[in-house]
Amino acid sequence: MAASAPIIEVNAEHPQPRHVQRAVEVLSSGGVIAYPTDTYYGLGCDLGSKKGIERLYQLKGRDKKKPLSFLCPDLSDVAKYAHVSNFAYRTMKSLTPGAFTFILEATRLVPEAMMSKQKQVGIRVPDSGLARALAAALGRPIITTSATDGEGEPLIDAKDIKDALGHGVDLILDGGVKLMEPSTVVSLLDDQLEVLRQGKGQLD
């Protein structure tokens, strides 16, 4: 593990392909990255990496009974990992890409650790060119959680992330200072729309 992760400045909306490629190499080898999204800075690892998922939980000091959400590059990818009804598809189509996390019933492709006891999963298609490019280049969803300090406060600047978490991540992508707003969590279970947490995403 790196003593302290390097920082790369990246264009968060039109990311440089070489920076995306470097981050994907880290993710593919079980590494953890910090990167800007359309909400907070995120900490991410490859959905297919047990080692990466383990490290992410350790870094966050998070109870493993609390599943993390993950992000997909495109709405078409969501159906691989969640059961998407016509209602859910129409709803997500109108709200993606955007600052929403959707709660859906998980498919068998989702690792056990990433779903709740009820076999549900939280999925995002973020309004962030960088986040979507990373997931697309990786070819699998990215497990994601907000980058926070020891008190659980969101870190809004890459340099603060390096100071607080640089020992535990392998690469920090610096997309500038991010304002502190979480995603809006929306349950689409049983074809009912329910807002579980109001955040940045606004429902019309």
Side-chain angles (χ1 to χ4, degrees), residues 49-111:
S49 170
K50 282 186 181 170
K51 182 173 85 168
I53 292 168
E54 187 80 28
R55 286 181 55 195
L56 209 51
Y57 271 104
Q58 280 177 349
L59 197 56
K60 280 284 281 194
R62 186 180 172 105
D63 183 347
K64 287 191 183 162
K65 293 195 182 84
K66 292 184 179 172
L68 300 165
S69 58
F70 56 81
L71 59 87
C72 291
D74 193 86
L75 196 51
S76 61
D77 292 279
V78 174
K80 295 176 195 167
Y81 303 97
H83 295 287
V84 180
S85 67
N86 289 336
F87 167 81
Y89 180 81
R90 284 198 305 272
T91 304
M92 288 191 292
K93 191 169 170 57
S94 69
L95 297 174
T96 57
F100 294 91
T101 300
F102 300 102
I103 307 299
L104 294 158
E105 197 184 326
T107 68
R108 289 180 182 174
L109 282 183
V110 178

Side-chain angles (χ1 to χ4, degrees), residues 43 85 110 158 186 189:
L43 301 174
S85 67
V110 178
V186 178
L189 298 166

Side-chain angles (χ1 to χ4, degrees), residues 143-188:
I143 301 288
T144 189
T145 183
S146 55
T148 54
D149 65 16
E151 275 72 59
E153 286 299 308
L155 298 163
I156 62 170
D157 183 275
K159 292 167 191 66
D160 294 340
I161 294 172
K162 188 177 175 85
D163 290 344
L165 303 171
H167 63 286
V169 301
D170 301 291
L171 182 67
I172 298 166
L173 298 175
D174 182 357
V177 174
K178 298 294 293 178
L179 298 176
M180 294 192 293
E181 280 188 280
S183 64
T184 293
V185 179
V186 178
S187 169
L188 298 176

